[in-house]
Amino acid sequence: MFDIILKRKEGTNVLKGIKLRLYPNRTQQNQLEQMFGNDRFVWNAMMNERYQNNRDLPFLGKFKLNYLLKPLKKEYPFLKTSDSSSLQVVNEFLTQSWKNFFQDKTGQIGKPRFHSRKYLKKSYTGKSIIRITGKRYLKIPKLGYVKTSKTGVLQNTKVKRYTVMLEPTGKYYLSLQAEISEPEKYSLTGKQVGIDVGVADLAILSNGLKYPSFNSSYFEKKAKIWQKKYSRRRHLVKLLVLQNKNKRVLCPRSLESFTNWQKAQKSKAKYQAKAANQRRDYLHKLTTHL
């Protein structure tokens, strides 16, 4: 599986967003889990804990935060398992988030939030070099050789940034921001067509051809059913671990130890992803035909 999204032009170069499916082995999956946690740890440690301990400390830019990474790695050696550029990207995102918060005069932008390990969609972003080592293999920094979908779309491209993601469905993806120096050129056909976008029909062409709206009601109904099951099961579990006024817990187990609501969570995400993938595939086929 791969998706290509044209983003913008800079002179003669074109920036594309390319999404590939990753198939890491068990060792690489454990390492990815550690790298996701390292990014989360740096985000929480650099600013949130720092300002909670002393709010009078001056605001630090991304370059000064990057300078603090070296002593932080000595104190916490597990940070060395991550791509160093990914930790720098965390500082960049964090600095921009605080700037947006300080410069906002409307009060609509809140301060950067604490990143919890319970968040379903995990990812990290890096700026290191990714090499193509075969038709279905890439060499990713710190991970080594990872099996992926077809790498032919990466020919004659320069990767600017990459993001490794773990979807709630349990699938791994690699999102790339690539620069193409020589974009593909298309010859003019001399043909014209008018397109009317509607509600009953997705698109009606001037030549009389109609594209009906995509119907994914089956998977959407399934997703709604499992969404209700997930919400109900999670609510019941929260009631069990809820503390009373005397700080006594009705059930001594932790929230993560209950697997029933986690199964519903994965089923819900699976059906939501199927509906979204079918809709995306339908739109790709339509635009390709046009």
Side-chain angles (χ1 to χ4, degrees):
M1 172 196 172
F2 63 89
D3 292 331
I4 301 179
I5 302 173
L6 185 64
K7 298 185 70 174
R8 64 188 178 91
K9 291 185 177 181
E10 290 184 353
T12 58
N13 297 337
V14 175
L15 287 180
K16 288 200 311 184
I18 304 175
K19 188 176 181 180
L20 303 173
R21 176 80 182 274
L22 289 180
Y23 302 92
N25 55 36
R26 181 62 61 181
T27 303
Q28 292 170 339
Q29 290 179 16
N30 295 335
Q31 190 173 354
L32 282 171
E33 192 66 28
Q34 178 66 47
M35 296 170 77
F36 296 148
N38 290 348
D39 274 32
R40 184 176 61 249
F41 178 84
V42 171
W43 174 281
N44 296 330
M46 280 300 188
M47 283 295 208
N48 292 331
E49 294 184 6
R50 186 170 180 269
Y51 275 90
Q52 286 177 2
N53 296 333
N54 188 353
R55 296 186 177 182
D56 297 330
L57 291 174
F59 176 80
L60 297 181
K62 61 180 181 180
F63 297 106
K64 292 184 178 180
L65 289 179
N66 291 339
Y67 182 78
L68 294 177
L69 285 177
K70 188 173 182 179
L72 192 66
K73 288 181 180 180
K74 290 183 178 180
E75 185 176 358
Y76 303 99
F78 58 84
L79 293 177
K80 297 179 181 180
T81 59
S82 289
D83 180 6
S84 59
S85 65
S86 68
L87 304 181
Q88 296 174 4
V89 173
V90 171
N91 290 336
E92 180 181 342
F93 290 161
L94 187 59
T95 303
Q96 188 60 44
S97 298
W98 278 107
K99 284 184 178 180
N100 295 338
F101 172 67
F102 290 140
Q103 296 175 359
D104 178 44
K105 298 181 180 179
T106 61
Q108 297 180 354
I109 301 178
K111 66 177 182 179
R113 296 182 179 181
F114 180 86
H115 282 192
S116 173
R117 68 178 61 187
K118 301 177 184 178
Y119 186 61
L120 291 178
K121 193 173 182 180
K122 303 176 182 179
S123 65
Y124 77 90
T125 302
K127 297 183 291 185
S128 301
I129 298 176
I130 293 182
R131 293 183 174 87
I132 303 174
T133 58
K135 291 184 179 180
R136 298 197 63 181
Y137 281 91
L138 293 174
K139 188 176 182 181
I140 303 177
K142 294 292 183 177
L143 288 176
Y145 300 96
V146 184
K147 187 178 180 180
T148 179
S149 48
K150 296 181 181 179
T151 58
V153 293
L154 299 180
Q155 297 295 335
N156 301 323
T157 60
K158 180 181 179 182
V159 177
K160 308 291 287 185
R161 284 193 179 189
Y162 73 93
T163 301
V164 180
M165 300 174 292
L166 172 60
E167 298 287 344
T169 56
K171 296 180 181 179
Y172 292 86
Y173 291 94
L174 177 66
S175 181
L176 302 170
Q177 185 188 58
E179 181 181 281
I180 302 178
S181 56
E182 297 181 0
E184 185 178 357
K185 296 181 180 180
Y186 298 94
S187 59
L188 298 178
T189 61
K191 299 179 181 180
Q192 298 179 355
V193 65
I195 305 174
D196 179 29
V197 180
V199 178
D201 295 307
L202 179 61
I204 302 175
L205 306 187
S206 58
N207 57 11
L209 186 61
K210 294 183 179 181
Y211 289 97
S213 298
F214 178 72
N215 183 14
S216 60
S217 57
Y218 174 77
F219 291 117
E220 289 178 352
K221 288 180 181 179
K222 285 286 188 179
K224 289 181 181 179
I225 292 173
W226 280 104
Q227 175 68 52
K228 292 179 182 179
K229 291 183 179 180
Y230 163 72
S231 300
R232 182 171 63 252
R233 292 176 184 180
R234 183 172 172 81
H235 176 68
L236 293 176
V237 171
K238 281 188 174 182
L239 292 179
L240 287 176
V241 299
L242 189 65
Q243 294 180 350
N244 56 16
K245 295 182 180 179
N246 298 325
K247 293 186 177 181
R248 293 179 180 178
V249 183
L250 297 177
C251 182
R253 296 168 60 184
S254 63
L255 183 65
E256 287 75 17
S257 64
F258 293 88
T259 59
N260 203 19
W261 67 273
Q262 296 178 8
K263 292 179 181 178
Q265 185 182 58
K266 291 183 179 180
S267 298
K268 169 183 69 78
K270 180 182 69 173
Y271 286 112
Q272 288 175 344
K274 283 188 176 182
N277 290 337
Q278 283 193 343
R279 192 180 300 109
R280 188 183 301 111
D281 179 69
Y282 180 75
L283 293 176
H284 278 320
K285 290 178 178 178
L286 187 151
T287 53
T288 302
H289 174 70
L290 290 174

